[in-house]
């Protein structure tokens, strides 16, 4: 039986104003934190740096604001942000395509393979999906907090494509885990710039919310 993946438009319609307001609140919260912590001031970051795609990138993942559409167990996590044009620029990029994937709370990917989504059964697909930016360059998705596995710190993968801009494959990390032993032992994506560390906030029953802005370079 085929899963029913939720598109951005249908998800927002089903969820009502509660979900629409939550990402905006998270963005405002992250903005206020910038006054206290320059590490979250993305205007100082320049272009977002690339990082390895890893062995488990699958093309044509479904469009779904909820990328935990199989309801795997874990701590709820919401990420909001903007895709912006130029080095430290503020030009919103509309209709940027953001492919997202990460492991589950035990460190396993679904699937543990690559290729095209059509090569896998629905039951093999989880914690990966595609979202698009709106007219303000904003995007949002929610999932569960990924676990860790041997040799890697906790992370999320992204592939971003937008007309007129260079495609980008990158990863984001947890600010409160920066500099810990696991990160020091992680040989992947060394010298990560500050703005790829997400400063998550605990919203109680709504889980953890963080903001990740992405800056693309023009072609």
């Amino acid at each position: 039986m085929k899963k029913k993946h939720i598109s951005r438009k249908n998800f927002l319609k089903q969820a009502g104003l509660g979900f629409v307001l939550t990402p905006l609140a998270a963005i405002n919260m992250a903005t206020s934190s910038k006054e206290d912590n320059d590490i979250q001031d993305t205007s100082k970051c320049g272009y977002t740096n690339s990082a390895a795609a890893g062995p488990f990138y699958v093309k044509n993942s479904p469009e779904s604001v909820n990328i935990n559409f199989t309801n795997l167990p874990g701590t709820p996590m919401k990420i909001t942000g903007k895709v912006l044009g130029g080095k430290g620029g503020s030009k919103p990029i509309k209709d940027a395509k953001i492919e997202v994937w990460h492991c589950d709370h035990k460190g396993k990917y679904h699937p543990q393979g690559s290729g095209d989504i059509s090569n896998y059964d629905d039951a093999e697909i989880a914690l990966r999906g595609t979202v698009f930016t709106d007219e303000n360059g904003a995007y949002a998705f929610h999932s569960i907090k990924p676990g860790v596995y041997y040799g890697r710190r906790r992370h999320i993968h992204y592939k971003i494509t937008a007309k007129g801009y260079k495609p980008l494959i990158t990863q984001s990390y947890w600010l409160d885990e920066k500099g810990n032993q696991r990160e020091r032992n992680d040989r992947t994506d060394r010298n990560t710039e500050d703005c790829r560390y997400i400063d998550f906030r605990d919203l109680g029953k709504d889980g953890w919310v963080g903001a990740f802005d992405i800056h693309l370079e023009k072609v």
Side-chain angles (χ1 to χ4, degrees):
M1 181 177 179
K2 293 287 185 181
K3 291 189 188 73
K4 184 179 180 182
H5 299 301
I6 306 173
S7 71
R8 171 182 51 177
K9 180 178 179 181
N10 289 338
F11 182 86
L12 294 177
K13 182 178 179 181
Q14 292 171 20
L17 291 177
F19 184 83
V20 176
L21 293 176
T22 299
L24 294 177
I27 291 172
N28 290 337
M29 180 167 53
T31 301
S32 65
S33 72
K34 293 175 186 178
E35 297 173 1
D36 303 320
N37 192 349
D38 284 345
I39 204 167
Q40 293 298 305
D41 186 353
T42 63
S43 66
K44 298 180 180 179
C45 289
Y47 301 125
T48 302
N49 285 356
S50 62
F56 302 133
Y57 168 64
V58 177
K59 296 187 294 184
N60 298 316
S61 292
E63 182 183 348
S64 183
V65 174
N66 173 21
I67 70 170
N68 185 27
F69 41 74
T70 58
N71 295 318
L72 292 177
T75 302
M77 172 188 75
K78 235 176 244 185
I79 293 180
T80 67
K82 289 188 175 184
V83 178
L84 303 166
K87 187 175 183 179
S90 58
K91 180 182 178 182
I93 301 177
K94 180 183 177 182
D95 293 328
K97 179 182 179 181
I98 307 170
E99 299 170 78
V100 184
W101 67 104
H102 63 78
C103 67
D104 64 20
H105 73 295
K106 294 182 177 180
K108 181 182 178 181
Y109 285 85
H110 302 266
Q112 295 199 115
S114 54
D116 191 273
I117 201 79
S118 61
N119 297 332
Y120 299 95
D121 294 332
D122 275 359
E124 298 178 89
I125 305 300
L127 302 179
R128 57 180 71 237
T130 303
V131 296
F132 292 86
T133 57
D134 65 16
E135 62 274 9
N136 298 312
Y139 73 94
F141 67 89
H142 66 100
S143 185
I144 55 172
K145 183 178 181 179
V148 295
Y149 53 90
Y150 180 77
R152 286 307 317 272
R153 53 191 151 153
R154 198 183 316 275
H155 61 282
I156 300 172
H157 299 267
Y158 309 79
K159 181 177 181 180
I160 306 100
T161 51
K163 185 177 181 181
Y165 293 87
K166 295 181 179 180
L168 175 70
I169 295 175
T170 193
Q171 299 180 26
S172 68
Y173 304 97
W174 267 248
L175 179 59
D176 64 1
E177 297 177 359
K178 184 179 182 183
N180 66 12
Q181 186 63 48
R182 182 173 290 277
E183 178 175 90
R184 292 196 296 271
N185 292 337
D186 186 352
R187 299 300 175 186
T188 301
D189 194 16
R190 306 296 290 174
N191 302 314
T192 307
E193 74 274 26
D194 286 341
C195 290
R196 283 195 286 129
Y197 289 90
I198 298 178
D199 187 9
F200 281 91
R201 300 288 187 269
D202 184 0
L203 296 186
K205 67 178 182 178
D206 291 326
W208 292 84
V209 175
F212 179 45
D213 290 345
I214 300 163
H215 295 266
L216 299 183
E217 182 178 0
K218 285 189 175 183
V219 175

